[in-house]
Amino acid sequence: MVKRIIFLVDMQSFYASVEKVKNPRLKHRPVVVAGDPKLRSGIILAACPLAKKQGVKTAEAIWQAEAKCPDMVVVKPNMALYIQLSYQITRILERFSDMVEVYSIDEQFVDVTHSLHLFGTKEEMAKQIHDEILETLGIESRIGIGENKVLAKMACDHFAKKRPTGVFELKLENIAADLWPLSIDHLFGVGARMRKHFVMMGLHTIGNLANYPVKFLKKRWGINGEVLWRFANGIDTSPVSNQTHRTQKTIGHAMTLPYDYLTAEDIKVVLSELAEEVARRVRKQGYLGEVVSLSLRGHRFDVNEGFHRQRKLAAPTQLHDVIYDTACALFDAHWTGVPVRSVGISLGQLEKKEMRQLSFFDDPVEQEQLAAVIDRVKETFGPTSIIRASSLTGAGQAHNRAKKIGGHTK
């Protein structure tokens, strides 16, 4: 069996790098890309290396970053431009392999197993990719190499970014020396909450987890426990596929609110808008969904005041009213009255609309046809050409969201 060769190509400080290319006067300035400081979105989305050297971190508030780096230049995000350039990067990578998988807006996997011989060694090919992106777009990249996706990802995140060449190969036979000494939160898939669980079990490093009996992990966390154990041992059989994001299991939408919402009436206005957006996207992709999930976060960063709950529907749907009513039921059952900072709704267990079992007592076809007509009107005349009356209240965010891409200014 041929050993795979996977690259993870990551753009260095992507948003900030794009802004420096767009405005050469910022080349030697500490640049950060951030939302409007007057709103909740005033957090650092990206920081260039000069800003990072002064202690600026992504996801921190602008005022915190300014205390460390008073001379930093704050630039508002241009999401439409970033998406366009991400697409161009994909086109560049496809010159090196037909197996390119977009992982995020600034990261892409490339399977070069069967094309490497055309470009030399792994290091030579990585340099050619780096140089091509730099010459075409002016953006620096880092490349992690591994025989599977998880090794390539961790090679990039924990090693390539620290190398002068920006390239590092994490070999399976070397993970005991290179990977296992790292703290457990360096393992791909381990967040803050999972880290706490592992530390309480005495698993402080990736090596501790890799050598822990997998049967106990499976007993406690099911398949997820085994997956993390496999990652710690450098095992990942998932393919690099350009079809990965074309078949979805869940479609969701979330919103960080411009101020703390205090009443159920106001919060449900936002729930309605989120349900509308989720339903529209589900219909556009030809799906029906069976599970509605609601996520809510409180206004305090130091205390977890929110919740994440889900409910299975009696029948698959793509309609706003069903999604909204279910989300409201979850909200009424679990909200404790804390001020709300952000909220999200998703519809999961998706299936193609072509095949479904209709109910004898509830025929949704007419409602779906009406929703499809409204979708076409919005596509022609804009997302706010038809909106619910509740969105015209002070709590409504439909008009503000229509001016943005991915929650940020277009």
Side-chain angles (χ1 to χ4, degrees):
M1 186 174 180
V2 178
K3 183 182 290 187
R4 294 190 299 164
I5 305 169
I6 311 297
F7 286 8
L8 188 279
V9 184
D10 171 73
M11 301 303 109
Q12 178 178 302
S13 307
F14 184 46
Y15 298 173
S17 296
V18 171
E19 296 301 334
K20 286 196 171 191
V21 172
K22 189 172 71 171
N23 185 355
R25 291 178 297 177
L26 300 176
K27 182 176 181 180
H28 301 294
R29 301 285 302 279
V31 173
V32 301
V33 176
D36 189 343
K38 297 178 182 178
L39 301 177
R40 186 83 63 166
S41 55
I43 62 172
I44 306 299
L45 301 176
C48 75
L50 292 176
K52 289 180 178 178
K53 284 183 179 179
Q54 297 189 49
V56 176
K57 299 178 181 178
T58 57
E60 69 180 349
I62 292 178
W63 65 267
Q64 293 174 309
E66 287 178 334
K68 306 172 188 175
C69 184
D71 60 335
M72 73 179 189
V73 179
V74 181
V75 182
K76 288 187 177 181
N78 186 338
M79 297 306 298
L81 176 61
Y82 306 152
I83 293 170
Q84 177 187 350
L85 292 179
S86 179
Y87 179 80
Q88 290 185 39
I89 292 166
T90 304
R91 300 286 79 82
I92 291 172
L93 295 176
E94 287 174 342
R95 301 173 194 169
F96 294 87
S97 172
D98 61 349
M99 302 292 287
V100 178
E101 178 181 326
V102 177
Y103 179 68
S104 68
I105 195 170
D106 62 348
E107 294 177 289
Q108 306 194 36
F109 287 106
V110 189
D111 188 332
V112 302
T113 307
H114 301 293
S115 59
L116 177 64
H117 67 281
L118 301 173
F119 301 94
T121 66
K122 287 175 273 191
E123 292 74 17
E124 289 170 343
M125 187 176 188
K127 186 177 188 306
Q128 290 178 61
I129 290 174
H130 168 275
D131 292 349
E132 185 73 15
I133 295 173
L134 183 61
E135 292 172 9
T136 305
L137 303 177
I139 301 171
E140 290 282 351
S141 60
R142 287 79 57 95
I143 300 175
I145 306 172
E147 61 184 76
N148 56 52
K149 290 161 69 174
V150 74
L151 287 178
K153 171 66 174 168
M154 291 191 288
C156 185
D157 288 351
H158 306 315
F159 302 100
K161 294 180 179 181
K162 301 175 183 178
R163 296 295 195 278
T165 61
V167 177
F168 184 84
E169 180 178 6
L170 184 56
K171 298 179 179 179
L172 188 59
E173 58 265 29
N174 293 337
I175 61 171
D178 293 333
L179 187 65
W180 285 2
L182 300 182
S183 61
I184 191 65
D185 55 332
H186 283 68
L187 180 65
F188 178 71
V190 174
R193 183 174 297 180
M194 204 65 183
R195 174 191 171 278
K196 291 180 181 178
H197 288 303
F198 283 145
V199 169
M200 289 178 65
M201 295 170 62
L203 307 178
H204 298 272
T205 68
I206 296 177
N208 292 154
L209 179 62
N211 291 284
Y212 194 80
V214 67
K215 64 180 181 180
F216 296 125
L217 298 171
K218 289 177 65 177
K219 185 176 181 180
R220 182 166 182 180
W221 289 293
I223 188 63
N224 189 50
E226 180 179 357
V227 167
L228 292 176
W229 178 86
R230 291 170 70 89
F231 285 174
N233 283 282
I235 303 169
D236 176 23
T237 59
S238 62
V240 173
S241 171
N242 54 17
Q243 302 292 320
T244 297
H245 298 284
R246 298 184 187 181
T247 302
Q248 291 185 261
K249 296 181 180 179
T250 302
I251 291 177
H253 201 68
M255 185 186 305
T256 298
L257 303 172
Y259 55 88
D260 294 335
Y261 278 37
L262 306 177
T263 69
E265 182 181 7
D266 285 351
I267 296 167
K268 287 182 178 179
V269 171
V270 176
L271 292 183
S272 179
E273 293 179 347
L274 292 173
E276 189 76 64
E277 177 61 18
V278 170
R280 183 194 65 80
R281 289 170 56 194
V282 169
R283 288 191 295 270
K284 185 174 182 179
Q285 297 187 44
Y287 287 116
L288 299 164
E290 287 192 271
V291 176
V292 174
S293 299
L294 174 66
S295 298
L296 183 146
R297 292 185 62 188
H299 72 306
R300 295 178 61 183
F301 287 96
D302 56 332
V303 178
N304 182 14
E305 297 177 320
F307 62 84
H308 177 85
R309 294 291 186 274
Q310 62 183 34
R311 180 171 295 181
K312 189 175 179 65
L313 303 174
T317 191
Q318 57 175 205
L319 295 173
H320 162 275
D321 289 357
V322 178
I323 299 171
Y324 171 66
D325 290 345
T326 307
C328 285
L330 290 167
F331 173 78
D332 291 337
H334 299 288
W335 184 50
T336 60
V338 300
V340 173
R341 181 170 63 89
S342 66
V343 63
I345 292 177
S346 65
L347 186 65
Q349 291 192 16
L350 300 178
E351 59 186 45
K352 281 297 181 179
K353 184 183 174 184
E354 286 79 7
M355 299 180 63
R356 65 167 164 183
Q357 178 68 51
L358 292 175
S359 169
F360 284 110
F361 308 103
D362 183 23
D363 185 356
V365 173
E366 188 174 322
Q367 291 175 283
E368 291 173 0
Q369 291 172 341
L370 175 59
V373 172
I374 294 174
D375 291 343
R376 288 197 293 271
V377 172
K378 290 185 175 183
E379 289 174 2
T380 304
F381 299 103
T384 58
S385 55
I386 298 179
I387 61 174
R388 296 177 184 272
S390 60
S391 292
L392 298 175
T393 66
Q397 294 297 312
H399 283 282
N400 290 333
R401 297 291 297 185
K403 302 173 185 177
K404 300 179 178 181
I405 295 178
H408 303 288
T409 304
K410 294 180 182 178

